[in-house]
Coordinates of all heavy atoms in Angstrom, one line a residue:
E135 N -13.7 -15.4 18.2 CA -15.0 -14.7 18.7 C -15.6 -13.8 17.8 O -16.8 -13.5 17.7 CB -14.6 -14.1 20.1 CG -14.4 -15.3 21.1 CD -14.0 -14.6 22.5 OE1 -14.3 -13.4 22.7 OE2 -13.3 -15.3 23.2
L136 N -14.7 -12.9 17.1 CA -15.1 -12.0 16.2 C -15.9 -12.5 15.0 O -17.0 -12.1 14.7 CB -13.9 -11.1 15.6 CG -14.2 -10.0 14.7 CD1 -15.1 -8.9 15.4 CD2 -12.8 -9.4 14.3
V137 N -15.3 -13.5 14.5 CA -15.9 -14.3 13.3 C -17.2 -14.9 13.6 O -18.2 -14.9 13.0 CB -14.9 -15.3 12.7 CG1 -15.7 -16.1 11.6 CG2 -13.7 -14.6 12.1
E138 N -17.2 -15.6 14.9 CA -18.5 -16.2 15.4 C -19.5 -15.2 15.6 O -20.7 -15.4 15.3 CB -18.2 -17.0 16.6 CG -17.3 -18.3 16.4 CD -16.9 -18.9 17.7 OE1 -17.4 -18.6 18.8 OE2 -16.0 -19.8 17.5
A139 N -19.2 -14.0 16.1 CA -20.2 -12.9 16.3 C -20.7 -12.5 15.1 O -22.0 -12.3 14.9 CB -19.6 -11.8 17.2
R140 N -19.9 -12.4 14.1 CA -20.3 -11.9 12.7 C -21.2 -12.9 12.0 O -22.2 -12.7 11.5 CB -19.1 -11.6 11.8 CG -19.4 -11.0 10.4 CD -19.6 -12.0 9.3 NE -18.9 -13.1 9.2 CZ -17.8 -13.4 8.4 NH1 -17.4 -12.4 7.6 NH2 -17.2 -14.6 8.4
N141 N -20.8 -14.2 12.3 CA -21.7 -15.4 11.7 C -23.1 -15.4 12.3 O -24.1 -15.7 11.6 CB -20.9 -16.6 11.8 CG -19.7 -16.7 10.9 OD1 -19.6 -15.9 9.9 ND2 -18.9 -17.7 11.0
R142 N -23.1 -15.1 13.7 CA -24.4 -15.1 14.4 C -25.3 -13.9 13.8 O -26.4 -14.1 13.7 CB -24.2 -15.1 15.8 CG -23.9 -16.4 16.5 CD -23.8 -16.2 18.0 NE -23.3 -15.1 18.7 CZ -21.9 -15.1 19.0 NH1 -21.2 -16.2 18.8 NH2 -21.4 -14.0 19.6
M143 N -24.7 -12.7 13.6 CA -25.3 -11.6 13.2 C -25.8 -11.9 11.7 O -27.0 -11.5 11.4 CB -24.4 -10.4 13.2 CG -25.1 -9.1 12.6 SD -24.0 -7.7 12.5 CE -23.5 -7.5 14.2
R144 N -25.0 -12.5 10.9 CA -25.4 -12.8 9.6 C -26.6 -13.8 9.6 O -27.5 -13.6 8.8 CB -24.1 -13.5 8.8 CG -24.5 -13.8 7.3 CD -23.4 -14.5 6.7 NE -22.1 -13.8 6.4 CZ -21.0 -14.2 6.3 NH1 -20.8 -15.5 6.4 NH2 -20.0 -13.5 6.0
A145 N -26.6 -14.8 10.5 CA -27.7 -15.7 10.4 C -29.0 -15.0 11.0 O -30.0 -15.4 10.4 CB -27.3 -16.9 11.4
H146 N -28.7 -14.2 12.0 CA -29.9 -13.6 12.4 C -30.7 -12.7 11.3 O -31.8 -12.8 11.2 CB -29.5 -12.6 13.6 CG -30.7 -11.6 14.0 ND1 -31.6 -12.0 14.9 CD2 -30.8 -10.4 13.8 CE1 -32.4 -11.0 15.1 NE2 -31.9 -9.9 14.5
Y147 N -29.9 -12.0 10.6 CA -30.4 -11.0 9.5 C -30.9 -11.9 8.4 O -31.8 -11.5 7.6 CB -29.5 -10.0 9.2 CG -29.6 -8.9 10.4 CD1 -28.5 -8.8 11.2 CD2 -30.6 -8.0 10.5 CE1 -28.5 -7.8 12.3 CE2 -30.7 -7.1 11.5 CZ -29.6 -7.0 12.4 OH -29.7 -6.1 13.4
D148 N -30.1 -13.0 8.1 CA -30.7 -13.8 7.0 C -32.1 -14.4 7.3 O -32.9 -14.4 6.4 CB -29.6 -15.0 6.8 CG -28.4 -14.6 5.9 OD1 -28.4 -13.5 5.3 OD2 -27.6 -15.5 5.9
A149 N -32.3 -14.8 8.5 CA -33.6 -15.2 8.9 C -34.6 -14.1 8.9 O -35.7 -14.3 8.4 CB -33.5 -15.8 10.4
L150 N -34.3 -12.9 9.3 CA -35.1 -11.8 9.2 C -35.5 -11.5 7.8 O -36.7 -11.2 7.4 CB -34.5 -10.5 9.9 CG -35.3 -9.3 9.7 CD1 -36.4 -9.2 10.7 CD2 -34.3 -8.0 10.0
L151 N -34.5 -11.6 6.9 CA -34.8 -11.4 5.4 C -35.8 -12.3 4.8 O -36.6 -12.0 4.0 CB -33.4 -11.2 4.7 CG -32.6 -10.1 5.0 CD1 -31.2 -10.2 4.2 CD2 -33.2 -8.7 4.5
R152 N -35.5 -13.6 5.3 CA -36.4 -14.7 4.8 C -37.8 -14.4 5.3 O -38.8 -14.5 4.4 CB -35.9 -16.1 5.3 CG -34.9 -16.7 4.5 CD -34.6 -18.2 4.7 NE -34.3 -18.3 6.1 CZ -33.1 -18.3 6.7 NH1 -32.1 -17.8 5.9 NH2 -33.0 -18.4 8.0
R153 N -38.0 -14.0 6.6 CA -39.3 -13.8 7.1 C -40.1 -12.6 6.4 O -41.3 -12.5 6.3 CB -39.3 -13.6 8.6 CG -39.0 -14.7 9.4 CD -39.2 -14.7 10.9 NE -38.5 -13.5 11.5 CZ -37.3 -13.6 12.0 NH1 -36.6 -14.6 11.9 NH2 -36.7 -12.4 12.5
S154 N -39.2 -11.6 6.0 CA -39.8 -10.4 5.5 C -39.8 -10.5 3.9 O -40.1 -9.6 3.2 CB -39.0 -9.2 5.8 OG -37.7 -9.3 5.3
H155 N -39.6 -11.8 3.4 CA -39.7 -12.1 1.9 C -38.7 -11.2 1.2 O -38.8 -10.8 0.0 CB -41.1 -11.8 1.4 CG -42.1 -12.7 2.1 ND1 -42.1 -14.0 2.0 CD2 -43.1 -12.3 3.0 CE1 -43.1 -14.5 2.8 NE2 -43.7 -13.4 3.4
S156 N -37.5 -10.9 1.8 CA -36.5 -10.2 1.1 C -35.2 -11.1 1.0 O -34.1 -10.6 0.9 CB -36.0 -8.9 1.9 OG -37.1 -8.1 2.0
D157 N -35.5 -12.4 0.9 CA -34.4 -13.4 0.9 C -33.5 -13.3 -0.4 O -32.6 -14.1 -0.6 CB -34.8 -14.7 1.3 CG -36.0 -15.2 0.6 OD1 -36.7 -14.4 -0.1 OD2 -36.2 -16.5 0.6
S158 N -34.0 -12.6 -1.4 CA -33.2 -12.5 -2.6 C -32.0 -11.6 -2.4 O -31.1 -11.6 -3.2 CB -34.0 -11.9 -3.9 OG -34.6 -10.7 -3.5
V159 N -32.0 -10.8 -1.3 CA -31.0 -10.0 -0.9 C -30.0 -10.8 0.0 O -30.5 -11.4 0.9 CB -31.4 -8.6 -0.2 CG1 -30.3 -7.9 0.3 CG2 -32.4 -7.9 -1.2
K160 N -28.7 -10.7 -0.3 CA -27.8 -11.3 0.6 C -26.8 -10.3 1.2 O -26.1 -9.6 0.5 CB -26.9 -12.4 -0.3 CG -25.9 -13.1 0.5 CD -26.6 -14.1 1.4 CE -25.5 -15.0 2.0 NZ -26.1 -15.7 3.2
L161 N -26.9 -10.2 2.6 CA -26.0 -9.3 3.2 C -24.7 -10.1 3.7 O -24.9 -11.2 4.2 CB -26.7 -8.7 4.5 CG -28.0 -7.9 4.2 CD1 -28.7 -7.4 5.4 CD2 -27.7 -6.7 3.3
H162 N -23.6 -9.6 3.4 CA -22.4 -10.4 3.6 C -21.7 -10.0 5.0 O -21.0 -10.9 5.5 CB -21.4 -10.1 2.4 CG -22.0 -10.5 1.1 ND1 -22.0 -11.8 0.7 CD2 -22.6 -9.8 0.1 CE1 -22.6 -11.9 -0.4 NE2 -23.0 -10.7 -0.8
F163 N -21.9 -8.9 5.4 CA -21.2 -8.5 6.8 C -19.8 -8.6 6.7 O -19.1 -9.4 7.5 CB -21.9 -9.2 8.0 CG -23.3 -8.8 8.2 CD1 -24.3 -9.5 7.7 CD2 -23.6 -7.7 8.9 CE1 -25.6 -9.1 7.9 CE2 -24.9 -7.3 9.1 CZ -25.9 -8.0 8.6
T164 N -19.1 -8.2 5.7 CA -17.6 -8.4 5.5 C -16.9 -7.5 6.4 O -17.4 -6.4 6.8 CB -17.3 -8.0 4.0 OG1 -17.6 -6.7 3.7 CG2 -17.8 -8.9 3.0

Side-chain angles (χ1 to χ4, degrees):
E135 291 178 24
L136 181 63
V137 172
E138 288 170 17
R140 186 274 316 262
N141 290 346
R142 284 192 310 273
M143 183 183 297
R144 183 188 288 159
H146 171 81
Y147 285 105
D148 280 351
L150 177 75
L151 291 173
R152 280 192 303 278
R153 286 193 308 272
S154 65
H155 305 291
S156 295
D157 51 343
S158 62
V159 175
K160 183 71 173 162
L161 300 176
H162 299 283
F163 294 95
T164 58

